[in-house]
Structure formats: C-alpha cells, structure tokens
Amino acid sequence: MPDGTTTPIVIASGLTPQELEVARLIVSALSLEVAAEEIEPEAPLFNEGLGLDSIDALEMALAVSRAYDVKLRSDDERNHRIFSSLRTLTAHIEKHRTR
Amino acid sequence: MAWSGMPPDGTLPLTNRAAAEVICHRSGGPVTVGRFLGEARALAARLPAEGHAINLCADRYRMLLGFAAALLRGQPTLLNADASPHRLRALAGAYPGAYLLADRAIASELPLVPVEDAAAADWTGPAPLLPAGQLAAIAFTSGSTGQPTAHPKPWDALVAAALAAAGRFGLRPGDGPPSSVLATVPPQHMYGFETTIMLPLHAALACHAGEAFFPSDVLDALDGLPERRLLVTTPLHLRALLAEGRRPAPLAAVISATAPLALPMAEAVERDWGAPMLEIYGASEAGSMASRRTASEPDWLPYAGIRMGPGGDYGEVHVPGLGAVPLADALEPAPGGRFRLLGRRADLVKLGGRRASLAELNRVLVELEGVEDGVFVAPEDIESNPAARLSAYVVAPGRSAEEVLAALRLRLEPVFLPRPLVLVAALPRNGLGKLTRAALAELRLAVAGP
C-alpha cells in the first residue's frame, strides 16, 4: 500500500454484505490471519480451503449463537451443507436469525 | 494377578453384564446386551479372516459393535479417527491386513466392511470369553519421529481400567441404578474409548449412540437420556456449554479430561448445573490413572491398582496389565495417597487432546523444502485457554506463508498447524544458536507492530 491511510481495497470476490459480516465474525472469533474480504465465498471452510478444524467449529458455533441467536447443530445431513462454505453458512444464518 | 475378577483359566468375558441390561441408547430406542452380542456375532462372521480393524464409526453403537466383532475374531482395533487417505495408507503399511469398519463412505483403497443395522438373533447364554492377554486395541500418540507411536492394549488391561473406573465413579452393578453417558469426545480417542466403549461392557452404564458436538446437540441429547446422566467432555466443550446459558437436564456428574480444567469453570458447573465436576487424569499410553473433584480437591487420587512412581521415580506409573509406563507430566506425592500435577515437562504441548513436542514440530518445520529456519511458539495461556493455538516464525525466502502451511498440513495433525505462520527475514538466534524466550517475545512484538 502506498501510504498507511488509504481505505483497504475490497477484493472483488463477490461477497454480499451479509457474507462479509459473517466473514468478519469468523475472522475475529477464530483470530484468523486472513482478511474477511479475502475469504472465497464458495471455498470449503474446513480442511482445505480455510483450514478450520473441530476447535474452530465450536468457537464458530459460540460466536454465531451470540451474534445471531442461531444454534448450530450436527444432528443431520444439513450440517455438511451449512458448513460447506461461507455462502451456505450465511444463508443458514439469514434464514434462522432472530436478531 | 492383583484384581479379583480374573477367572482361573486366563480368560475374561467380553462383557460382565446380563443379557437384559441396556448397553446403548440409540435414536430408535435402547439396545440390550443380548441384542448387542447377537449383532456383534453376526458382524464378526462378515470380517476378514485376519487383520487389524481400523474402526472409523462415528455412531458409538456401531463403534462398539465393530470393536466387539473384531475381538470375537481375535483381531485388534486400531484407535484412529483420522480418515485422511495418507493416514490410512500409513496404517495399512504398518499393519498388514488392515481393513476399515465404517458407518459412512470413506475415500480409501483399503477394504471396507460397512457396519450397518441388520437383524440378528439375540445372544443367549453366558457372554463369550476372551483370552486375558489378547491384543484388543492399539492407541496412538504423536510420535517423536513424526510417525504416530503405537500403544498396545491387552484385553485384561482394558478390563482392569474399566472396573477401576466403575469403582471410582459408582458405576458397579451394586452401586445404584444404571447410568447413561453422553460424550463429546470421539470413541477412537483413548478417553472416549474407555468411557463410552469399555465402560458399557464392564459397568452398569449405557452409552448414547449419536454424535453430539455442538452445545445444542449435547443439551438436546441429554434431555433424551434417562437418569443417572453422566456427561463426559473436555474443557473446550465445557466452555462452549457454559456460554450457551441453558441449564442441562439433571446430571449425576460431569467428567472432564484431556487438558487441565480451570477452577472457575469447575465452580460454575457445580454452582449453575448442581452437578459434581470430576476430572480424570490420563494419557493414551497408560489410560485413565486418577481422578479428582476439581473445585474441592487440588490433588489426584489414583485408581485402584494404579501405582504412581513405582520405585520412587515419579516419571512413570505402574498400570495393571501394562506394567511401567513413562509419563509426559511431572508430578509429586501428596497427602492421603494422592499426587499433585506439577505441569507438563518442558517442550511438550497439548492441544485439542493431542500432544506434541515443540522440538519435534520444529524439526518437521525446518525439514520442509525451502525452509531455512523456523520455530514454533506456544502462547502463554496454552494451559488455561482451551482454544489456544501455536504460532510459527519461519525463514523461507521465495516461499509464501500459504505454501509453507500447505506443506506442513501434509505432515502435522491439523490442531498443531500454526496460527499465525509468520515469514521473517531471520530468527534472533544468540551466539550459541539458541532462541531465548526474551528474543522470541521481541520478535513477536516486532511482527505484530506497534
């Protein structure tokens, strides 16, 4: 960056405002090194992709519960879809959020 | 032999429970010991003639079925939850005839025996007997060579540990009504294996079969279990459960292991949930060794049959069926036959229930192609923060942090991957080539910026 005062450039990754908000929540809850804007909306969150693991899953559940009052569950097949990417997770939150 | 359950002919039963007792709670209802043994016998008939069973079942009842079926065929179960192709390939190389037992599709070239629901005639008559010395399971820890180290478990050692735990936690048949246990730890981890696979076979206890990972899953599953409920978990899960703010169904006890439980969390469980908060001290090598009620007992009481520091050397423990086992922790004797944990020996870190040596991690790091120097650093709060992560400082000209991380991912268990991995021009080694704590702290500050 030429000087330290310019606004960060939003990478043209096609994040919706809601996805960006969830991405910021994840980055801050998990202390990730990546910028929220750089998260690929359709890339896997776990293993390859962002490289999250089961410790992160619990932290993420906690953060999502606090921010949106949405309870994540692992009791059905939907879970694999919900966590498959930032896009699917955001869609799940948008559908179930109460705040 | 030191304990009394040993029949004279050198055999031990697969289970000491009666056919009509409940061994597992599934979503379809309770499963009796008789039905379980019948299904295990049917599954045993479908197993290869010989080999090692890699039991990847996530459903605890199916894990239990697969374990029992392998035992009936005289085959050891490899306690491994890692279904990645390179891990399975490594196991197959080390254990000829290795095959998979699984309740889901697994991408692997190894033979797979699906463990699924199938009608079978109930087992009647006495439980099958197994040779006391039969190799029943093999547990793994992150090894010093980068390859996991194997820890063989003969059947008598596993049964002795289960009987000792049953005595300690009031789970013997005469101790009261039967209990049900819900666990947040996988049955392939030694702690989860002992509490949810071995205890249902040798204590008045039934396990919850389904997976329960997120706080909502755990709380809902507890609602569905009959009393006396036990929750077997870890500090990481307890933190998330307490933060959920919803009081669980009445619990007879909460048990935690894999990492030290912070006193405030133990007190919160006792106060907010009205349940005794117990901790188990154990290791994959030795199994569970001792327990304490954290809020009121600073020191650990060894299980029956366990002798800490045989011969005065507190670097090891004597375990029935295993003999002397070295310990990764430093400890000292305390009053009343108890002992106090002084902490992990320098260089060892434990994250997410997995243990590694920093020196070993560093060696793996600097052996990567393109890496000239590098060091893993454990955070100050690694013992108190269940979500703590390692970081790494790496000198790798011409390579990106992502490239180094991708190379590490192939060699390390995911929980030890550094967060962050920071590329630096050089490490602040002193004249002896050593990295002092102070130099690392300065480096950390310099990288983090003002």
Side-chain angles (χ1 to χ4, degrees):
Chain A
M1 228 175 280
D3 64 78
T5 58
T6 49
T7 334
I9 300 157
V10 176
I11 306 270
S13 56
L15 292 190
T16 66
Q18 289 83 7
E19 284 164 357
L20 184 58
E21 188 182 294
V22 174
R24 286 192 172 129
L25 180 74
I26 293 174
V27 166
S28 106
L30 309 183
S31 318
L32 298 181
E33 288 304 297
V34 60
E37 294 80 0
E38 287 174 24
I39 296 182
E40 296 278 342
E42 312 237 331
L45 292 169
F46 289 84
N47 304 318
E48 298 79 22
L50 257 196
L52 305 187
D53 60 22
S54 63
I55 295 179
D56 297 313
L58 269 188
E59 292 294 299
M60 209 149 86
L62 204 56
V64 167
S65 169
R66 280 177 175 155
Y68 303 107
D69 197 27
V70 171
K71 311 292 184 196
L72 300 177
R73 290 167 198 277
S74 59
D75 54 1
D76 56 19
E77 290 295 317
R78 282 181 320 151
N79 182 54
H80 292 282
R81 289 214 304 278
I82 295 167
F83 276 116
S84 63
S85 70
L86 174 63
R87 185 146 288 164
T88 55
L89 176 64
T90 306
H92 177 76
I93 290 171
E94 287 302 314
K95 194 171 162 202
H96 296 278
R97 65 187 292 178
T98 56
R99 61 174 172 250
Chain B
M1 269 304 189
W3 94 95
S4 57
M6 180 83 176
D9 61 347
T11 64
L12 285 168
L14 175 58
T15 172
N16 65 4
R17 305 189 62 201
E21 292 181 60
V22 174
I23 192 166
C24 188
H25 292 285
R26 306 193 72 189
S27 54
V31 180
T32 63
V33 170
R35 187 171 135 207
F36 157 70
L37 288 176
E39 291 185 24
R41 177 171 51 190
L43 177 58
R46 291 171 35 219
L47 299 186
E50 50 189 28
H52 289 76
I54 304 174
N55 193 330
L56 295 170
C57 292
D59 178 293
R60 239 168 263 270
Y61 179 66
R62 291 175 173 157
M63 170 76 187
L64 188 59
L65 267 186
F67 174 59
L71 279 175
L72 290 172
R73 297 293 298 266
Q75 298 170 5
T77 291
L78 305 181
L79 297 178
N80 164 70
D82 182 351
S84 64
H86 65 272
R87 173 67 177 137
L88 296 180
R89 213 168 291 132
L91 281 174
Y95 299 95
Y99 63 92
L100 306 179
L101 285 171
D103 51 5
R104 62 189 188 281
I106 305 286
S108 166
E109 61 271 25
L110 291 188
L112 187 150
V113 179
V115 183
E116 50 207 13
D117 295 339
D122 278 17
W123 182 289
T124 51
L129 294 172
L130 303 170
Q134 175 176 332
L135 178 57
I138 301 177
F140 296 92
T141 51
S142 311
S144 56
T145 57
Q147 285 304 311
T149 305
H151 306 285
K153 309 287 179 184
W155 182 237
D156 57 353
L158 292 175
V159 173
L163 296 176
R168 171 58 50 85
F169 297 115
L171 302 172
R172 289 168 302 195
D175 288 340
S179 302
S180 47
V181 60
L182 179 101
T184 64
V185 282
Q188 289 86 1
H189 188 283
M190 194 59 194
Y191 168 46
F193 176 75
E194 286 188 298
T195 49
T196 63
I197 302 297
M198 283 308 298
L199 278 182
L201 291 171
H202 283 276
L205 175 100
C207 62
H208 170 78
E211 279 185 271
F213 182 78
F214 293 111
S216 299
D217 304 330
V218 174
L219 294 165
D220 291 351
L222 283 172
D223 286 342
L225 282 179
E227 307 217 20
R228 309 154 75 194
R229 299 177 194 88
L230 289 179
L231 173 61
V232 163
T233 187
T234 64
L236 183 72
H237 261 97
L238 269 178
R239 193 175 61 135
L241 283 164
L242 285 167
E244 187 77 5
R246 172 177 148 202
R247 191 183 166 131
L251 292 161
V254 180
I255 298 175
S256 174
T258 70
L261 183 64
L263 191 57
M265 269 212 282
E267 289 168 343
V269 168
E270 298 248 0
R271 183 186 62 236
D272 300 343
W273 295 359
M277 179 69 240
L278 310 172
E279 254 187 298
I280 291 177
Y281 174 64
S284 295
E285 297 93 320
S288 295
M289 292 170 266
S291 70
R292 66 174 180 173
R293 186 166 178 173
T294 315
S296 53
E297 300 171 352
D299 299 321
W300 300 83
L301 186 63
Y303 281 11
I306 295 279
R307 276 187 297 127
M308 310 306 295
D313 174 8
Y314 272 76
E316 59 179 29
V317 58
H318 186 276
V319 182
L322 294 179
V325 180
L327 288 172
D329 297 303
L331 45 91
E332 65 179 16
R338 290 174 180 255
F339 64 90
R340 180 158 296 195
L341 269 184
L342 300 175
R344 218 164 291 289
R345 294 198 192 166
D347 183 54
L348 286 177
V349 290
K350 195 167 182 188
L351 293 171
R354 312 295 298 170
R355 199 172 55 213
S357 139
L358 284 174
E360 191 52 38
L361 294 173
N362 291 342
R363 191 186 62 77
V364 171
L365 176 60
V366 298
E367 282 180 5
L368 296 180
E369 203 185 320
V371 171
E372 292 180 357
D373 200 359
V375 63
F376 275 85
V377 180
E380 298 287 335
D381 64 352
I382 189 161
E383 292 290 323
S384 60
N385 174 8
R389 297 284 183 173
L390 301 177
S391 47
Y393 298 92
V394 183
V395 183
R399 305 204 64 181
S400 71
E402 290 73 26
E403 286 169 339
V404 177
L405 201 56
L408 273 179
R409 192 167 286 146
L410 297 176
R411 289 164 180 81
L412 297 183
E413 295 193 47
V415 74
F416 298 118
L417 291 173
R419 191 178 292 177
L421 186 154
V422 183
L423 292 178
V424 292
L427 291 180
R429 295 190 180 274
N430 67 16
L432 295 168
K434 289 202 182 297
L435 286 163
T436 64
R437 266 189 111 72
L440 281 174
E442 266 181 45
L443 177 69
R444 201 155 41 193
L445 273 181
V447 168

